[in-house]
Amino acid sequence: MMKSTSDILDKLEQTLRARKQADSEKSYVASLYAKGSRKIAQKVGEEAVETAMAVAAGDRVELVKESADLLFHLMVLLEAEGLSLDDVAAELANREGLSGHDEKAARPKP
């Protein structure tokens, strides 16, 4: 039986949190944390491009794989910044029932 999405993501968040203390020579995640948030953000960007390229190629199998990579690296970035998927979910909940156009228009201008 497949685990629920929330179970998988919760377990991954726990693992990412634990890897902050790991040896960066032995743990890929620890090596990302050691490089800092800017480098992790760069990796998120790379994975986003690869995800988009999979869509452009019409490759659904690759889209799933690249989406997993993107979500994984985004979660690493969130953890590096002291945030979690709960923070993202709370923001999504705040937007529920609000038109995307209205939500974007209500954002403060830079």
Side-chain angles (χ1 to χ4, degrees):
M1 182 169 98
M2 187 174 145
K3 292 182 180 180
S4 74
T5 301
S6 62
D7 287 344
I8 292 166
L9 295 176
D10 287 346
K11 175 68 173 160
L12 179 55
E13 277 190 327
Q14 291 171 14
T15 300
L16 296 177
R17 201 169 300 119
R19 296 284 162 79
K20 278 183 145 177
Q21 309 307 318
D23 181 349
S24 63
E25 295 290 320
K26 296 180 181 175
S27 167
Y28 173 70
V29 173
S31 72
L32 288 172
Y33 289 135
K35 292 174 185 173
S37 292
R38 285 185 180 209
K39 189 67 174 173
I40 299 167
Q42 180 182 353
K43 189 66 178 168
V44 170
E46 290 170 12
E47 297 300 344
V49 169
E50 290 170 4
T51 300
M53 289 171 51
V55 171
D59 190 337
R60 292 172 53 89
V61 171
E62 197 63 20
L63 174 58
V64 169
K65 291 178 181 180
E66 293 299 341
S67 295
D69 289 346
L70 176 57
L71 183 55
F72 173 85
H73 287 90
L74 178 59
M75 290 175 67
V76 172
L77 181 60
L78 290 170
E79 180 62 35
E81 290 295 310
L83 298 167
S84 71
L85 288 179
D86 286 341
D87 297 302
V88 176
E91 177 59 24
L92 291 171
N94 287 338
R95 296 178 184 188
E96 189 174 350
L98 181 63
S99 158
H101 293 296
D102 292 341
E103 185 277 328
K104 190 170 183 178
R107 291 181 192 172
K109 303 292 183 221

